[in-house]
Amino acid sequence: YMYYRNKKGEDVDPSAESGSSGSAGSSMADPARASEGTASSGGAPTQASAATEEETESLKESMSDETRLEEALRKKNKGNKYYKGASFEAAIRSYQEAIDICPAKDSADMAAFHQNIAACYEALALRSTDDREKAQHLSTVVERCTHALGLNERYPKAFIRRGRAYKMLGDFDKALDDVTAGSIMENIASGGMPNPSSSMSQNIMMLANDILKEVGKAKAKKHFANRPAKAPSAAYVKSYLESYQFDAMTMYDCESTPTLASKTAEGIVAEDEDVPAQTEDEDAPAGREDEDAPAGGEDKGAPAGREDEDAPAGGENEDAPAGGENEDAPADLDAKVKMNGEAETNGEAETNADALTRDEGAVSPGSSESKHVRYRGVVNLFREQKFAEAEAAAQLAIVDEGSLTEKQRGHVLLILATVHQLYSRPTGALDVLNTLIALPDGSVPVEVRVNALVKRGSQHLISGNADEAMADFQTAHGLDPMNGDVFHHRGQMHFLLDRLPEAMADYQQCAEISPSFPAAHVQLLYAKYKVALMTQSGMAMKEVVDAFEKIFERFPDYVEGISLFAQVLQDQGQLDRAEVLYQKAIELEPNNGSLYVHHGLLLISKNDSFDEALEEMKKALKVDSDCDFAYETMATMQIQRGRVREAIELWDKALDLVRTELEMTHLFSLREAAQAQERVSSRLGLQMNPFAGGMGGMM
């Protein structure tokens, strides 16, 4: 489990066994690299010994067991020389001769000879450009390693090499079991505890990480496609909205985004000659000043979602769409939204949408007043965080030709795409965003198009398409070089990809463009802290802590900033100060489950108390039953106690709650690592060492 970490390093070097009695001995050159300068036959080498069976038997009968072992080791050393020179066929013959003459009782040495032959075939597979030949060589690797393990069932190198061959053959489940077993055996050899500084442990870690990613991706893809639709929690909605300065919600009212007054809200309504601006209309939402409006940017209180009886209540929201994404929906967007709208004809969302339609009866159909009523109805529902109702109203408005102006249609499409993202429907979000971005230039305000590009870029990033994400961010920057959201979300992409200098540059630009946007300042400091950790610069760490203090004074109610500052202090051992900050954050957002989880982790560091930490996890789930972070953390705690079965059950609960396929991949990787650990330990008759933790936590 603990070997699943996003770490970087060189590939594992396949090496032949060079020591006696199953010991590792001196490592050999990477045969893949060595073969580049040495000519050898491209065909599969013969495994038969150079001597006839009769000659070998005659020779064996004339020698004592001790002499036979010495001769076998001599032939093995000869094979090692061939291997180092990339003469793999000759090496195979020498190793086979060693097997033929070696006494059967010296099983550890026999296992080493088989493993060395497997190393030769692995090198030939890596060198081969023919897929069929490569597969044949890899199958032989599996066969020879299996022979070796039959002679020495606790042989780390044979497990690891066979696991690597299974990985290249695409059998990731078997690969995971073998690498897990190899890790356990290696740790036993080093005293029962993981040794992260050893070369072999690091290689195992990287190999396990690669295998777990593939296993996690495959399982997450299937699970994510079949998961039921789930309404977003209030905490998730707040976090999503706070990541944008100018969003579908704030763009409508120019008073809430004065820097965009000339181009956004008034551009959607007032600039259209057919639509009255009515920015002073008593029915118009008053933006962030309106007591009924959601909190938005400057008000850091919890969104109205859970406190307003009409707002979505999270997992049990009766307004939640009835099902998941329909991948068989027609390609045409209007057809899609019409179908989705018809799917909700029996729900409350349809009732509210009909109410909007009835309101239009007071004005002439197709008139500017009618369009304004339809448009304002969609916007108001979205601003009130009645997302399912806003979705239904938006769908009806889009399919009803002539019910919206061009600019209104663009904004409504953006609202619809945002709802898809809040409900974690990536395909639906991309369909709508693609339609919006493809609209002719001038048909929608620049800010709407830029926001759509940023959201599509973020969606691509979540789906693992970093190049497409970067392309969208670059296009958005070209349209509006002074849009802080472009820099912020591109900075997030760089941060997630470990491009810290680029991330800091983007966060800095965002902070300069939007000095009142706290997320940019906080993320910039956190990126600087990561760099300080990497460089082990105590002075840089102190500077970051001092800067966090100033940001905390400037934005005392920004909960995300308080939480990150507390995590930094916890890392630095300032546990009392960190606890004060967590308590402050919880006071500001008592329904934010993640804060209780972080506080629980602090209690482990401060008091070495798992019981106190578990109580905090229970508090997290009490205030937010959908807090996947709590389940994931409890699973990790159970792994550290050696309770694999309990951990797997907790990960299963978390898997039903995470909102992205990327998060699901991560959880499946952790879960599958734990399950492999459980399978292998049972098969090998081992017990977990609860203090070792991780893949090798066995004894």
Side-chain angles (χ1 to χ4, degrees), residues 227-238:
R227 83 201 194 295
K230 195 169 187 67
S233 67
Y236 181 79
V237 171
K238 185 174 187 295

Side-chain angles (χ1 to χ4, degrees), residues 527-643:
K528 287 182 177 180
Y529 178 66
K530 289 292 186 182
V531 171
L533 283 178
M534 292 171 59
T535 58
Q536 293 295 301
S537 171
M539 181 177 294
M541 291 180 193
K542 184 180 184 305
E543 289 175 355
V544 169
V545 170
D546 292 343
F548 258 117
E549 290 284 6
K550 293 179 181 178
I551 290 297
F552 178 50
E553 293 175 3
R554 185 175 174 187
F555 303 105
D557 296 337
Y558 182 52
V559 170
E560 178 68 17
I562 297 172
S563 178
L564 283 177
F565 185 21
Q567 291 173 50
V568 168
L569 291 173
Q570 185 175 341
D571 282 347
Q572 293 299 302
Q574 300 184 39
L575 304 184
D576 291 337
R577 173 68 170 137
E579 184 164 15
V580 169
L581 289 175
Y582 282 132
Q583 294 290 4
K584 166 72 173 177
I586 290 171
E587 288 175 8
L588 290 169
E589 286 188 17
N591 293 327
N592 187 331
S594 295
L595 297 175
Y596 296 93
V597 178
H598 283 299
H599 184 228
L601 292 172
L602 172 71
L603 292 176
I604 294 177
S605 299
K606 186 177 180 182
N607 303 328
D608 195 24
S609 175
F610 274 73
D611 291 335
E612 286 183 308
L614 283 174
E615 286 302 313
E616 291 300 299
M617 307 301 154
K618 292 177 182 178
K619 290 179 185 178
L621 293 171
K622 184 176 181 180
V623 301
D624 182 3
S625 60
D626 292 344
C627 185
D628 56 278
F629 185 32
Y631 285 117
E632 179 187 350
T633 305
M634 286 192 292
T636 302
M637 292 168 64
Q638 296 298 355
I639 281 288
Q640 291 172 341
R641 290 178 160 187
R643 300 173 181 174

Side-chain angles (χ1 to χ4, degrees), residues 17 118 129 380 393 400 408 418 423 457 674 690:
E17 184 71 38
T129 58
N380 288 345
D400 187 0
Q408 290 170 349
T418 302
Y423 279 87

